[in-house]
Amino acid sequence: MNVNDSDKMSEFLLQQGLERCDSCFDADMVIVNTCSVRFSAEHKAYSLLGRWKELKDKNPNLVIGVVGCMAQYASKEIKARCKYVDFVLGAKDFDNFAKTVKRFVTKRQLTVNNDRNSGCTEVFKYITIMRGCSNFCSYCIVPYVRGPEQSIDYNIISDEVKRTVDKGTKEIILLGQNVNSYDFGGVNFTGLLRKISELENVTRIRFMTNHPKDLSDELIDEIAKNKKICRHIHLPLQSGSNNILKAMNRKYTYEQYETLYEKIKNKVPDINITSDIIIGFPGETDKDFEDTFNASRKLQFGGLFVFKYSARPDTPAAKMANQVPLDVIKKRHHILLEDSNIISKKINEKYIDTTVEVLVEKYNSETKTAEARNSQSIKVFFNSEMDLTGQIVDVKITKVLPNSMSAERTQIYNAQ
Ligand code: 5AD
Ligand code: SF4
């Protein structure tokens, strides 16, 4: 979501005639788009702002902006701690971004280049289909900083998809905190997927993220039969313990999750299911952790993101009495991460010696390496004499690493 918001801001700045520079030392304007999901992200934002103070000391004309989720709820603190910051705009204030930037461009008399021809074809593009979240998982700050869930008009989404694919973009990634609860004018998420896949020039569609409580049979059937939909589902489990799931307000039990997981695997055998786990939610006992560990062993995710619980201001979990000590969280986190990486690597070994179709996302001309992604959303690296960025090609998998695979080129599948 943040990458998408940052892309939109960059696009706007380019349209205004500003140019991207390689180093912040050469910049007239620097903006940090913040995240507040975990404390570590906030810490990173403050250290970046600390470093930017030196830039401001050298160039008092520099415009420094702080935007995003942390700017939403901590604007006072940011302004107090970093007095040299020029503007702070929260995630809900996004509509004021254009006005604010224009004001500073005029005020500081920044040089703009109006002849610049901006906008190149992107290999993939994120498209937001809904904003906010109304689920109120007890650990999560998102509903407070991004506001309640709101689905975007499917006509607006379709138009954006059309514009994007007509420029040559091969992959569309539909974004929302809980895409499964999309609903606009009677069109649900499956309906939206159908509408989008029927559009001319749409080649590959991805979406994230899913909530197990809302993922319908209708959606699973659509994925099974619609070959434009990539074979990857990110389905956060968060915990394998029913006590913890209940305290997290996730609204499903581990058994319900497992049933759903099996159903998806049965109906879409080539799918890759990845997940999120939070370690050290308040009250997590050794037994609760064991349940989570066993769930990870049993379900065998293709990829697992393991997060250390981080108490977020104003969330119910932050006020719970039985917070888990950090050293216990670190130990459990390490155990699960190590184990799940071994599992994911083993699971992906089934691709060795098989030919897979990948979309090339990047090319490093110095090392002559292409970075691509298969339908299952696994990163694939291979050597290539040519820059194939934006093309869908066949490659043969030679080696599996914990979070990526190496391959060699076979033939061009759909070169354009
Ligand atoms: N602490 C740790 N992890 C969190 N997540 C969300 N809130 C917190 C928190 N307070 C994780 C969840 C979610 C992912 C995007 O971030 O696992 O799925
Ligand atoms: Fe946060 Fe839960 Fe909403 Fe995801 S579904 S954004 S974890 S409140």
Side-chain angles (χ1 to χ4, degrees):
M1 197 65 91
N2 266 22
V3 171
N4 182 33
D5 290 343
S6 299
D7 284 350
K8 283 205 176 117
M9 287 185 270
S10 308
E11 221 170 276
F12 174 78
L13 296 172
L14 291 171
Q15 276 164 11
Q16 294 306 301
L18 293 164
E19 284 176 1
R20 197 188 287 274
C21 51
D22 293 333
S23 155
C24 55
F25 289 99
D26 303 327
D28 294 314
M29 184 182 289
V30 283
I31 299 171
V32 55
N33 187 14
T34 58
C35 171
S36 59
V37 168
R38 285 172 291 277
F39 173 75
S40 53
E42 288 186 15
H43 182 70
K44 277 186 202 159
Y46 276 123
S47 18
L48 190 64
L49 286 170
R51 275 178 273 143
W52 284 356
K53 174 157 192 326
E54 288 170 34
L55 300 178
K56 187 83 165 188
D57 290 342
K58 285 196 190 115
N59 171 15
N61 213 30
L62 176 73
V63 182
I64 300 184
V66 186
V67 299
C69 294
M70 173 187 158
Q72 179 64 45
Y73 87 96
S75 70
K76 272 197 194 132
E77 191 189 335
I78 296 168
K79 283 176 192 157
R81 277 175 67 170
C82 314
K83 295 206 169 58
Y84 48 92
V85 163
D86 294 286
F87 66 88
V88 180
L89 278 180
K92 291 181 192 166
D93 257 348
F94 223 67
D95 296 344
N96 287 327
F97 182 73
K99 218 167 58 195
T100 309
V101 164
K102 281 184 186 165
R103 185 157 54 89
F104 276 100
V105 167
T106 314
K107 195 168 146 193
R108 300 276 164 87
Q109 298 181 327
L110 300 187
T111 316
V112 293
N113 178 1
N114 289 320
D115 297 332
R116 214 179 153 276
N117 186 8
S118 73
C120 55
T121 305
E122 293 146 302
V123 178
F124 59 87
K125 180 151 167 82
Y126 293 108
I127 294 190
T128 302
I129 64 160
M130 61 207 297
R131 301 198 171 278
C133 183
S134 304
N135 284 320
F136 290 96
C137 300
S138 62
Y139 51 81
C140 185
I141 198 169
V142 170
Y144 307 93
V145 288
R146 291 214 175 232
E149 180 186 295
Q150 269 178 304
S151 295
I152 294 171
D153 185 339
Y154 51 81
N155 292 307
I156 295 175
I157 299 170
S158 283
D159 285 350
E160 192 176 352
V161 171
K162 264 190 245 162
R163 269 200 312 276
T164 308
V165 293
D166 289 350
K167 276 197 278 180
T169 295
K170 288 274 166 43
E171 191 174 284
I172 294 297
I173 309 173
L174 305 178
L175 281 185
Q177 305 294 347
N178 175 12
V179 291
N180 311 128
S181 62
Y182 177 88
D183 180 14
F184 190 92
V187 174
N188 65 11
F189 183 57
T190 312
L192 180 72
L193 274 181
R194 281 196 201 115
K195 274 182 188 294
I196 287 174
S197 58
E198 280 160 11
L199 296 173
E200 208 183 324
N201 295 335
V202 168
T203 315
R204 309 217 303 185
I205 310 169
R206 293 187 191 285
F207 54 85
M208 60 182 168
T209 208
N210 300 277
H211 196 304
K213 77 176 167 60
D214 297 316
L215 203 148
S216 66
D217 286 0
E218 190 196 15
L219 175 60
I220 303 171
D221 291 338
E222 183 64 27
I223 299 169
K225 66 171 188 255
N226 189 336
K227 296 297 172 221
K228 287 190 179 177
I229 303 176
C230 289
R231 272 43 206 142
H232 172 228
I233 276 210
H234 187 64
L235 193 63
L237 168 64
Q238 311 297 8
S239 170
S241 150
N242 284 335
N243 292 338
I244 299 295
L245 286 172
K246 191 152 197 282
M248 285 177 162
N249 192 29
R250 289 291 289 176
K251 303 191 178 82
Y252 55 83
T253 61
Y254 169 70
E255 290 73 22
Q256 285 167 330
Y257 182 97
E258 194 185 308
T259 306
L260 177 65
Y261 186 95
E262 294 302 334
K263 200 181 331 179
I264 301 170
K265 286 252 153 166
N266 285 333
K267 288 194 176 176
V268 197
D270 57 345
I271 205 152
N272 178 28
I273 305 184
T274 57
S275 198
D276 290 344
I277 291 284
I278 298 177
I279 291 297
F281 183 86
E284 184 188 77
T285 61
D286 283 342
K287 170 74 175 67
D288 294 320
F289 174 66
E290 205 183 305
D291 287 349
T292 300
F293 183 86
N294 290 339
S296 159
R297 282 251 166 124
K298 178 143 196 225
L299 298 169
Q300 307 261 303
F301 295 110
L304 187 64
F305 296 90
V306 188
F307 301 110
K308 297 184 201 102
Y309 169 73
S310 169
R312 302 288 57 219
D314 300 328
T315 58
K319 292 174 209 119
M320 291 178 185
N322 38 9
Q323 303 284 323
V324 179
L326 189 59
D327 58 328
V328 177
I329 296 184
K330 279 187 180 163
K331 211 168 86 199
R332 291 178 185 164
H333 177 266
H334 180 75
I335 293 171
L336 184 62
L337 193 63
E338 295 271 295
D339 202 67
S340 63
N341 278 339
I342 295 169
I343 294 172
S344 308
K345 187 167 176 272
K346 217 168 75 207
I347 286 290
N348 292 334
E349 272 166 7
K350 65 174 176 283
Y351 294 109
I352 287 185
D353 286 337
T354 66
T355 299
V356 301
E357 196 183 276
V358 295
L359 170 62
V360 183
E361 296 180 351
K362 268 189 211 164
Y363 183 63
N364 183 330
S365 52
E366 272 168 34
T367 57
K368 296 198 184 304
T369 332
E371 187 180 322
R373 199 176 284 273
N374 70 353
S375 175
Q376 284 74 11
S377 200
I378 305 167
K379 269 221 162 108
V380 179
F381 293 92
F382 64 95
N383 290 329
S384 170
E385 287 300 315
M386 272 187 290
D387 180 357
L388 301 167
T389 304
Q391 293 189 25
I392 293 175
V393 298
D394 277 356
V395 292
K396 196 166 134 198
I397 303 298
T398 50
K399 196 172 160 195
V400 168
L401 307 158
N403 294 308
S404 64
M405 307 195 285
S406 306
E408 57 195 31
R409 177 96 189 283
T410 46
Q411 70 194 89
I412 298 181
Y413 171 72
N414 189 16
Q416 281 171 10

